[in-house]
Coordinates of all heavy atoms in Angstrom, one line a residue:
M1 N -6.3 -1.9 20.6 CA -4.9 -1.6 21.0 C -4.1 -1.1 19.8 O -3.4 0.0 19.9 CB -4.2 -2.8 21.5 CG -2.7 -2.7 21.8 SD -2.1 -4.1 22.7 CE -0.5 -3.7 22.9
F2 N -4.3 -1.7 18.6 CA -3.6 -1.3 17.3 C -4.7 -0.6 16.4 O -5.2 -1.3 15.6 CB -2.9 -2.3 16.7 CG -1.8 -3.0 17.4 CD1 -1.9 -4.1 18.1 CD2 -0.6 -2.3 17.5 CE1 -0.8 -4.7 18.8 CE2 0.5 -2.8 18.1 CZ 0.4 -4.0 18.8
G3 N -5.0 0.7 16.8 CA -6.0 1.3 16.0 C -5.3 1.6 14.6 O -4.2 1.6 14.4
K4 N -6.1 2.1 13.7 CA -5.7 2.5 12.4 C -4.6 3.6 12.5 O -3.7 3.7 11.7 CB -6.8 3.1 11.5 CG -7.8 2.1 11.0 CD -8.8 3.0 10.2 CE -9.9 2.1 9.6 NZ -10.8 2.7 8.8
K5 N -4.8 4.4 13.6 CA -4.0 5.6 13.6 C -2.5 5.3 13.9 O -1.6 6.0 13.7 CB -4.4 6.5 14.9 CG -5.9 7.0 14.6 CD -6.0 8.3 13.9 CE -7.3 8.9 13.9 NZ -8.1 8.2 12.9
R6 N -2.4 3.9 14.4 CA -1.0 3.6 14.6 C -0.1 3.3 13.4 O 1.1 3.1 13.4 CB -0.9 2.3 15.5 CG -1.6 2.5 16.8 CD -0.9 3.4 17.7 NE 0.5 3.1 18.0 CZ 0.7 2.2 19.1 NH1 -0.3 1.9 19.9 NH2 1.9 1.7 19.4
V7 N -0.8 3.1 12.3 CA 0.0 2.7 11.1 C 0.5 4.0 10.4 O -0.1 4.9 10.2 CB -1.0 2.0 10.0 CG1 -0.4 1.5 8.9 CG2 -1.7 0.8 10.8
D8 N 1.8 3.8 10.1 CA 2.6 4.9 9.5 C 1.9 5.6 8.3 O 1.9 6.8 8.2 CB 3.8 4.4 9.1 CG 4.7 4.1 10.2 OD1 4.4 4.4 11.4 OD2 5.8 3.3 10.1
I9 N 1.3 4.8 7.4 CA 0.8 5.3 6.3 C -0.3 6.4 6.5 O -0.5 7.3 5.8 CB 0.0 4.1 5.5 CG1 0.0 4.6 4.0 CG2 -1.2 3.7 5.9 CD1 1.3 4.6 3.2
N10 N -0.9 6.2 7.7 CA -1.9 7.3 8.0 C -1.4 8.7 8.3 O -2.1 9.6 8.4 CB -2.8 6.8 9.2 CG -3.8 5.6 8.8 OD1 -4.6 5.8 8.0 ND2 -3.5 4.4 9.2
A11 N -0.1 8.6 8.4 CA 0.6 10.0 8.5 C 0.8 10.7 7.3 O 1.2 11.8 7.2 CB 2.0 9.8 9.3
I12 N 0.6 9.8 6.2 CA 0.9 10.4 4.8 C -0.5 10.9 4.3 O -1.5 10.1 4.4 CB 1.5 9.3 3.9 CG1 2.8 8.8 4.5 CG2 1.6 9.8 2.5 CD1 3.4 7.7 3.7
L13 N -0.4 12.0 3.7 CA -1.7 12.6 3.1 C -2.1 11.8 1.9 O -1.2 11.3 1.2 CB -1.5 14.1 2.8 CG -1.2 14.9 4.0 CD1 -0.7 16.4 3.6 CD2 -2.3 14.9 5.0
D14 N -3.4 11.7 1.6 CA -3.9 11.1 0.5 C -3.2 11.7 -0.8 O -2.9 11.0 -1.8 CB -5.3 11.3 0.3 CG -6.2 10.3 1.3 OD1 -5.5 9.5 1.9 OD2 -7.3 10.4 1.2
G15 N -3.0 12.9 -0.8 CA -2.3 13.6 -2.0 C -1.0 13.1 -2.2 O -0.5 12.9 -3.4
Q16 N -0.3 12.8 -1.1 CA 1.0 12.3 -1.3 C 1.0 10.7 -1.8 O 1.9 10.4 -2.5 CB 1.8 12.3 0.1 CG 2.1 13.8 0.4 CD 2.8 13.9 1.8 OE1 2.2 13.6 2.7 NE2 4.1 14.3 1.8
I17 N 0.0 10.0 -1.3 CA -0.1 8.7 -1.8 C -0.3 8.6 -3.3 O 0.3 7.9 -4.0 CB -1.3 7.9 -1.0 CG1 -0.9 7.8 0.4 CG2 -1.5 6.7 -1.6 CD1 -2.1 7.3 1.2
E18 N -1.2 9.5 -3.6 CA -1.6 9.7 -5.1 C -0.3 10.0 -5.9 O -0.1 9.4 -7.0 CB -2.6 10.7 -5.3 CG -3.1 10.8 -6.7 CD -4.1 11.8 -7.0 OE1 -4.9 12.0 -6.1 OE2 -4.1 12.5 -8.1
Q19 N 0.6 11.0 -5.4 CA 1.8 11.2 -6.0 C 2.6 10.2 -6.2 O 3.2 9.9 -7.3 CB 2.4 12.5 -5.3 CG 3.6 13.1 -6.1 CD 4.3 14.2 -5.3 OE1 3.6 14.6 -4.3 NE2 5.5 14.7 -5.8
L20 N 2.8 9.4 -5.1 CA 3.8 8.3 -5.1 C 3.3 7.1 -6.1 O 3.9 6.6 -6.9 CB 3.8 7.5 -3.8 CG 4.7 8.2 -2.8 CD1 4.4 7.5 -1.4 CD2 6.1 8.0 -3.1
L21 N 1.9 7.0 -6.2 CA 1.3 6.0 -7.1 C 1.5 6.6 -8.6 O 1.8 5.8 -9.5 CB -0.1 5.8 -6.8 CG -0.5 5.1 -5.6 CD1 -2.0 5.2 -5.2 CD2 -0.1 3.6 -5.8
R22 N 1.5 7.8 -8.8 CA 1.7 8.3 -10.1 C 3.1 8.2 -10.5 O 3.5 7.8 -11.7 CB 1.2 9.8 -10.2 CG -0.3 10.1 -10.1 CD -0.7 11.4 -10.5 NE -2.1 11.7 -10.3 CZ -2.9 11.4 -11.1 NH1 -2.6 10.7 -12.3 NH2 -4.2 11.7 -10.9
E23 N 4.0 8.3 -9.5 CA 5.5 8.2 -9.9 C 5.7 6.8 -10.3 O 6.7 6.5 -11.1 CB 6.3 8.7 -8.7 CG 6.4 10.1 -8.5 CD 7.2 10.5 -7.3 OE1 7.7 9.6 -6.7 OE2 7.0 11.7 -7.0
T24 N 5.1 5.8 -9.7 CA 5.4 4.4 -10.0 C 4.3 3.9 -11.1 O 4.3 2.6 -11.4 CB 5.2 3.5 -8.8 OG1 3.9 3.6 -8.2 CG2 6.3 3.9 -7.8
S25 N 3.6 4.7 -11.6 CA 2.5 4.4 -12.7 C 1.5 3.4 -12.1 O 1.1 2.6 -12.9 CB 3.2 3.8 -13.9 OG 4.2 4.7 -14.4
Q26 N 1.3 3.4 -10.8 CA 0.3 2.5 -10.2 C -1.0 3.1 -9.8 O -1.9 2.5 -9.3 CB 1.0 1.8 -9.0 CG 2.0 0.9 -9.4 CD 2.8 0.2 -8.2 OE1 3.5 0.9 -7.6 NE2 2.5 -1.0 -8.0
F27 N -1.1 4.5 -10.2 CA -2.3 5.1 -9.7 C -3.6 4.6 -10.6 O -4.6 4.4 -10.0 CB -2.3 6.5 -9.9 CG -3.4 7.5 -9.4 CD1 -3.6 7.4 -8.1 CD2 -4.1 8.1 -10.3 CE1 -4.7 8.2 -7.6 CE2 -5.2 8.9 -9.8 CZ -5.5 8.9 -8.5
E28 N -3.3 4.4 -11.9 CA -4.4 3.8 -12.6 C -4.8 2.4 -12.1 O -5.9 2.0 -12.2 CB -4.0 3.7 -14.1 CG -3.9 5.1 -14.9 CD -5.2 5.7 -15.0 OE1 -6.2 5.1 -15.5 OE2 -5.3 7.0 -14.7
D29 N -3.7 1.7 -11.8 CA -4.1 0.3 -11.3 C -4.9 0.4 -10.1 O -5.8 -0.5 -9.9 CB -2.8 -0.4 -11.0 CG -2.0 -0.9 -12.2 OD1 -2.6 -0.8 -13.2 OD2 -0.8 -1.2 -12.1
M30 N -4.6 1.3 -9.2 CA -5.5 1.4 -8.0 C -6.9 1.8 -8.4 O -7.9 1.2 -7.8 CB -4.8 2.5 -7.0 CG -5.8 2.6 -5.8 SD -5.0 3.3 -4.4 CE -3.7 2.0 -3.9
L31 N -7.0 2.7 -9.2 CA -8.4 3.2 -9.6 C -9.1 2.1 -10.3 O -10.3 1.9 -10.1 CB -8.3 4.2 -10.7 CG -7.8 5.7 -10.1 CD1 -7.8 6.7 -11.2 CD2 -8.6 6.1 -8.9
N32 N -8.4 1.3 -11.0 CA -8.9 0.0 -11.6 C -9.1 -1.3 -10.7 O -9.3 -2.3 -11.2 CB -8.3 -0.3 -12.9 CG -8.5 0.8 -13.9 OD1 -9.6 1.3 -14.1 ND2 -7.5 1.2 -14.7
H33 N -8.8 -1.1 -9.5 CA -8.8 -2.2 -8.5 C -7.9 -3.4 -8.9 O -8.3 -4.4 -8.8 CB -10.2 -2.6 -8.3 CG -11.2 -1.6 -7.9 ND1 -11.1 -0.9 -6.8 CD2 -12.1 -0.9 -8.6 CE1 -12.0 0.0 -6.6 NE2 -12.7 0.1 -7.8
K34 N -6.7 -3.0 -9.3 CA -5.8 -4.1 -9.7 C -4.6 -4.2 -8.7 O -3.6 -4.8 -9.2 CB -5.1 -3.7 -11.1 CG -6.2 -3.8 -12.2 CD -5.5 -3.5 -13.5 CE -6.4 -3.6 -14.7 NZ -5.9 -2.9 -15.9
I35 N -4.6 -3.4 -7.6 CA -3.6 -3.7 -6.6 C -4.2 -4.4 -5.4 O -5.3 -4.1 -5.0 CB -3.2 -2.2 -6.2 CG1 -2.4 -1.6 -7.4 CG2 -2.2 -2.3 -5.0 CD1 -1.9 -0.2 -7.2
Y36 N -3.3 -5.3 -5.0 CA -3.9 -6.3 -3.9 C -2.8 -6.4 -2.9 O -1.6 -6.2 -3.0 CB -4.1 -7.7 -4.6 CG -5.0 -7.7 -5.7 CD1 -4.5 -7.7 -7.0 CD2 -6.4 -7.7 -5.5 CE1 -5.4 -7.6 -8.1 CE2 -7.2 -7.5 -6.5 CZ -6.8 -7.6 -7.9 OH -7.6 -7.5 -8.8
C37 N -3.4 -6.6 -1.7 CA -2.6 -6.8 -0.5 C -1.6 -8.1 -0.7 O -2.0 -9.1 -1.2 CB -3.5 -7.0 0.7 SG -2.5 -7.5 2.2
E38 N -0.3 -7.9 -0.4 CA 0.7 -9.0 -0.5 C 0.3 -10.1 0.5 O 0.7 -11.3 0.1 CB 2.1 -8.4 -0.2 CG 2.6 -7.5 -1.2 CD 3.0 -8.1 -2.5 OE1 3.5 -9.1 -2.5 OE2 2.7 -7.4 -3.5
S39 N -0.3 -9.8 1.5 CA -0.6 -10.9 2.5 C -2.0 -11.7 2.2 O -2.0 -12.8 2.0 CB -0.6 -10.3 3.9 OG -0.9 -11.2 4.8
C40 N -2.9 -10.8 2.1 CA -4.3 -11.5 2.2 C -5.0 -11.4 0.6 O -6.0 -12.1 0.4 CB -5.3 -11.0 3.1 SG -5.8 -9.3 2.8
G41 N -4.5 -10.6 -0.2 CA -5.0 -10.5 -1.5 C -6.2 -9.6 -1.6 O -6.9 -9.4 -2.7
T42 N -6.5 -8.9 -0.6 CA -7.6 -7.9 -0.6 C -7.3 -6.8 -1.6 O -6.1 -6.4 -1.6 CB -7.8 -7.2 0.8 OG1 -8.4 -8.4 1.7 CG2 -8.8 -6.1 0.8
C43 N -8.3 -6.4 -2.2 CA -8.1 -5.2 -3.2 C -7.7 -3.8 -2.4 O -8.5 -3.6 -1.5 CB -9.3 -5.0 -4.0 SG -9.2 -3.7 -5.2
I44 N -6.7 -3.3 -2.7 CA -6.2 -2.1 -2.0 C -6.8 -0.8 -2.6 O -6.9 -0.7 -3.8 CB -4.6 -2.0 -2.2 CG1 -4.0 -3.2 -1.4 CG2 -4.2 -0.7 -1.5 CD1 -4.0 -3.2 0.0
T45 N -7.4 -0.1 -1.7 CA -8.0 1.2 -2.1 C -7.4 2.4 -1.3 O -6.6 1.9 -0.3 CB -9.5 1.3 -1.9 OG1 -9.8 1.3 -0.5 CG2 -10.2 0.1 -2.6
M46 N -7.6 3.6 -1.5 CA -7.1 4.7 -0.7 C -7.6 4.5 0.7 O -6.9 5.0 1.6 CB -7.6 5.9 -1.3 CG -7.0 6.5 -2.4 SD -5.3 7.0 -2.1 CE -4.9 7.6 -3.7
E47 N -8.7 3.8 1.0 CA -9.3 3.6 2.3 C -8.5 2.6 3.2 O -8.6 2.6 4.4 CB -10.8 3.3 2.3 CG -11.6 4.5 1.9 CD -11.4 5.0 0.6 OE1 -11.5 4.3 -0.4 OE2 -11.3 6.3 0.4
N48 N -8.0 1.7 2.5 CA -7.5 0.5 3.4 C -6.0 0.2 3.2 O -5.5 -0.8 3.4 CB -8.3 -0.8 3.1 CG -8.0 -1.4 1.7 OD1 -7.2 -0.8 0.9 ND2 -8.6 -2.6 1.4
I49 N -5.2 1.1 2.6 CA -3.8 1.0 2.5 C -3.2 0.9 3.9 O -3.5 1.8 4.7 CB -3.1 2.2 1.8 CG1 -3.7 2.3 0.3 CG2 -1.6 2.0 1.7 CD1 -3.1 3.5 -0.4
G50 N -2.4 -0.1 4.2 CA -1.7 -0.2 5.5 C -0.3 0.2 5.4 O 0.2 1.0 6.0
I51 N 0.4 -0.4 4.5 CA 1.8 -0.3 4.3 C 2.1 -0.2 2.8 O 1.6 -1.1 2.0 CB 2.7 -1.3 5.0 CG1 2.3 -1.4 6.5 CG2 4.2 -1.1 4.8 CD1 2.9 -2.7 7.1
M52 N 3.0 0.7 2.3 CA 3.5 0.7 1.0 C 5.0 0.5 1.0 O 5.7 1.0 1.9 CB 3.2 2.0 0.3 CG 1.9 2.4 0.1 SD 1.6 3.8 -1.0 CE 2.3 5.1 0.0
I53 N 5.5 -0.4 0.3 CA 6.9 -0.8 0.3 C 7.5 -0.6 -1.2 O 7.1 -1.3 -2.0 CB 7.1 -2.3 0.6 CG1 6.5 -2.5 2.0 CG2 8.6 -2.5 0.8 CD1 5.6 -3.7 2.1
P54 N 8.4 0.3 -1.3 CA 9.0 0.4 -2.6 C 10.0 -0.8 -2.9 O 10.7 -1.2 -2.1 CB 9.8 1.8 -2.5 CG 9.4 2.3 -1.2 CD 8.9 1.3 -0.3
Y55 N 10.0 -1.2 -4.2 CA 10.9 -2.2 -4.6 C 11.3 -1.9 -6.1 O 10.6 -1.1 -6.8 CB 10.4 -3.6 -4.4 CG 9.3 -4.0 -5.4 CD1 9.6 -4.8 -6.5 CD2 8.0 -3.6 -5.2 CE1 8.4 -5.1 -7.3 CE2 7.0 -3.8 -5.9 CZ 7.1 -4.7 -7.1 OH 6.2 -5.0 -7.9
T56 N 12.3 -2.4 -6.5 CA 12.8 -2.2 -7.9 C 12.7 -3.4 -8.7 O 13.2 -4.5 -8.2 CB 14.2 -1.7 -7.9 OG1 14.3 -0.5 -7.1 CG2 14.7 -1.3 -9.3
E57 N 12.0 -3.4 -9.8 CA 11.9 -4.4 -10.7 C 12.3 -4.1 -12.1 O 11.8 -3.1 -12.7 CB 10.5 -5.0 -10.7 CG 10.1 -6.2 -11.5 CD 8.7 -6.7 -11.4 OE1 7.9 -6.1 -12.1 OE2 8.4 -7.5 -10.6
N58 N 13.3 -4.6 -12.7 CA 13.7 -4.2 -14.1 C 14.1 -2.8 -14.1 O 13.7 -2.1 -15.0 CB 12.8 -4.6 -15.1 CG 12.4 -6.1 -15.2 OD1 13.3 -6.9 -14.9 ND2 11.2 -6.4 -15.5
S59 N 14.8 -2.3 -13.1 CA 15.2 -0.9 -12.9 C 14.0 0.1 -12.8 O 14.1 1.3 -13.1 CB 16.0 -0.4 -14.2 OG 17.1 -1.2 -14.3
V60 N 12.9 -0.5 -12.6 CA 11.6 0.5 -12.4 C 11.2 0.3 -10.9 O 11.1 -0.8 -10.4 CB 10.5 -0.1 -13.3 CG1 9.3 0.8 -13.0 CG2 10.9 0.0 -14.7
T61 N 11.0 1.5 -10.4 CA 10.5 1.4 -8.9 C 9.0 1.2 -8.8 O 8.2 2.0 -9.5 CB 10.9 2.7 -8.2 OG1 12.3 2.9 -8.2 CG2 10.5 2.7 -6.8
K62 N 8.5 0.3 -8.0 CA 7.2 0.0 -7.8 C 6.9 -0.1 -6.4 O 7.8 0.0 -5.6 CB 6.8 -1.3 -8.5 CG 6.9 -1.4 -10.1 CD 5.7 -0.9 -10.6 CE 5.8 -1.2 -12.1 NZ 4.5 -0.5 -12.8
L63 N 5.7 -0.1 -6.1 CA 5.3 -0.2 -4.8 C 4.5 -1.5 -4.5 O 3.7 -1.9 -5.3 CB 4.3 0.9 -4.3 CG 5.0 2.3 -4.3 CD1 3.9 3.4 -4.3 CD2 5.9 2.5 -3.2
K64 N 4.9 -2.2 -3.3 CA 4.1 -3.3 -2.8 C 3.1 -2.8 -1.8 O 3.5 -1.8 -1.1 CB 4.9 -4.4 -2.3 CG 5.7 -5.2 -3.3 CD 6.0 -6.5 -2.8 CE 7.4 -6.4 -2.1 NZ 8.1 -7.6 -1.9
F65 N 2.1 -3.5 -1.6 CA 1.1 -2.9 -0.6 C 0.6 -4.1 0.3 O 0.5 -5.2 -0.1 CB -0.2 -2.4 -1.4 CG 0.1 -1.2 -2.3 CD1 0.5 -1.4 -3.5 CD2 -0.1 0.1 -1.8 CE1 0.9 -0.4 -4.3 CE2 0.2 1.2 -2.6 CZ 0.7 0.9 -3.9
Y66 N 0.4 -3.6 1.5 CA -0.3 -4.4 2.5 C -1.5 -3.7 2.9 O -1.4 -2.4 3.1 CB 0.5 -4.7 3.7 CG 1.6 -5.8 3.5 CD1 2.8 -5.4 2.8 CD2 1.5 -7.1 3.8 CE1 3.8 -6.3 2.6 CE2 2.5 -8.0 3.6 CZ 3.6 -7.7 3.0 OH 4.6 -8.5 2.7
C67 N -2.7 -4.3 3.1 CA -3.8 -3.6 3.7 C -3.7 -3.3 5.2 O -2.7 -3.6 5.8 CB -5.1 -4.4 3.3 SG -5.3 -5.8 4.3
E68 N -4.6 -2.7 5.7 CA -4.6 -2.1 7.0 C -4.9 -3.2 8.1 O -4.9 -3.0 9.3 CB -5.5 -1.0 7.2 CG -6.9 -1.3 7.1 CD -7.9 -0.1 7.1 OE1 -7.4 1.0 7.4 OE2 -9.1 -0.3 6.9
K69 N -5.3 -4.4 7.7 CA -5.7 -5.4 8.6 C -4.4 -5.7 9.5 O -3.3 -5.8 9.0 CB -6.1 -6.7 7.9 CG -7.6 -6.7 7.4 CD -7.8 -8.0 6.9 CE -9.0 -7.8 5.8 NZ -8.9 -8.9 4.7
I70 N -4.7 -5.9 10.8 CA -3.5 -6.2 11.7 C -2.9 -7.4 11.3 O -1.5 -7.5 11.4 CB -3.9 -6.1 13.1 CG1 -2.8 -5.8 14.0 CG2 -4.8 -7.4 13.6 CD1 -2.2 -4.5 13.9
N71 N -3.5 -8.5 10.9 CA -2.8 -9.8 10.5 C -1.7 -9.4 9.4 O -0.7 -10.0 9.3 CB -3.8 -10.7 10.1 CG -4.6 -11.3 11.2 OD1 -4.2 -11.1 12.3 ND2 -5.5 -12.1 10.9
C72 N -2.2 -8.6 8.4 CA -1.3 -8.2 7.2 C -0.1 -7.5 7.7 O 0.9 -7.6 7.2 CB -2.2 -7.6 6.2 SG -3.5 -8.6 5.7
I73 N -0.4 -6.5 8.6 CA 0.7 -5.7 9.0 C 1.8 -6.6 9.8 O 2.9 -6.4 9.7 CB 0.2 -4.5 9.8 CG1 -0.4 -3.6 8.9 CG2 1.3 -3.8 10.5 CD1 -1.3 -2.5 9.5
E74 N 1.2 -7.5 10.7 CA 2.1 -8.4 11.3 C 2.9 -9.3 10.4 O 3.9 -9.6 10.6 CB 1.2 -9.3 12.3 CG 0.8 -8.4 13.6 CD 0.1 -9.3 14.5 OE1 -0.3 -10.3 14.2 OE2 -0.2 -8.8 15.7
D75 N 2.3 -9.7 9.3 CA 2.8 -10.5 8.3 C 4.0 -9.7 7.6 O 5.0 -10.3 7.5 CB 1.8 -10.8 7.2 CG 2.2 -11.9 6.3 OD1 3.0 -12.8 6.8 OD2 2.0 -11.9 5.0
Y76 N 3.8 -8.5 7.4 CA 4.8 -7.6 6.9 C 6.0 -7.5 8.0 O 7.1 -7.7 7.5 CB 4.3 -6.2 6.5 CG 5.4 -5.2 6.4 CD1 6.3 -5.3 5.2 CD2 5.6 -4.3 7.3 CE1 7.3 -4.3 5.1 CE2 6.6 -3.3 7.2 CZ 7.5 -3.4 6.1 OH 8.5 -2.4 6.1
N77 N 5.6 -7.3 9.2 CA 6.6 -7.2 10.1 C 7.5 -8.4 10.5 O 8.7 -8.3 10.6 CB 6.0 -6.7 11.5 CG 5.5 -5.3 11.5 OD1 6.0 -4.4 10.7 ND2 4.5 -5.0 12.2
S78 N 6.9 -9.5 10.3 CA 7.6 -10.8 10.5 C 8.3 -11.2 9.2 O 9.5 -11.9 9.4 CB 6.7 -11.8 11.0 OG 5.7 -12.1 10.0
N79 N 8.0 -10.9 8.1 CA 8.6 -11.2 6.8 C 9.6 -10.1 6.3 O 10.3 -10.4 5.4 CB 7.6 -11.6 5.8 CG 6.8 -12.8 6.0 OD1 7.4 -13.7 6.6 ND2 5.7 -12.8 5.6
G80 N 9.5 -9.0 6.9 CA 10.4 -7.9 6.4 C 9.9 -7.3 5.2 O 10.5 -6.7 4.4
Ligands
ZN101 ZN1 -4.3 -7.8 3.7

């Protein structure tokens, strides 16, 4: 029912994801497997990004990530 294709992030091209990650200086972190799902803690890669959420910390914009698991996306939806 909720296939991968339903997730918004899949509408974004990999190149755009890379660009966003470079803008937030998180591209290296992803390459080094240092980015984790906010919900389940799974290591986030280009293949399993479900949702990216921009937030600001010390005036620096960063991205939070949820993986593509339906439980994690529901967790995001219920927690905002
Ligand atoms: Zn997850």
Side-chain angles (χ1 to χ4, degrees):
M1 182 171 174
F2 294 102
K4 286 185 187 180
K5 302 271 188 281
R6 297 294 296 271
V7 181
D8 291 343
I9 199 76
N10 287 291
I12 300 178
L13 299 173
D14 282 354
Q16 290 177 293
I17 296 173
E18 181 178 330
Q19 187 180 349
L20 281 169
L21 288 168
R22 287 190 187 282
E23 284 174 13
T24 61
S25 304
Q26 287 173 293
F27 188 65
E28 290 291 314
D29 285 348
M30 178 163 292
L31 292 183
N32 291 318
H33 305 292
K34 289 182 186 166
I35 292 178
Y36 304 98
C37 173
E38 292 288 320
S39 176
C40 73
T42 291
C43 185
I44 298 285
T45 67
M46 284 292 183
E47 281 71 45
N48 71 358
I49 299 175
I51 303 171
M52 295 193 295
I53 306 127
Y55 69 101
T56 304
E57 186 179 82
N58 301 325
S59 305
V60 178
T61 300
K62 295 273 189 185
L63 295 165
K64 285 200 278 198
F65 297 84
Y66 286 80
C67 73
E68 64 183 357
K69 283 182 207 154
I70 201 65
N71 285 351
C72 298
I73 290 166
E74 284 178 353
D75 193 34
Y76 163 73
N77 286 334
S78 57
N79 291 325

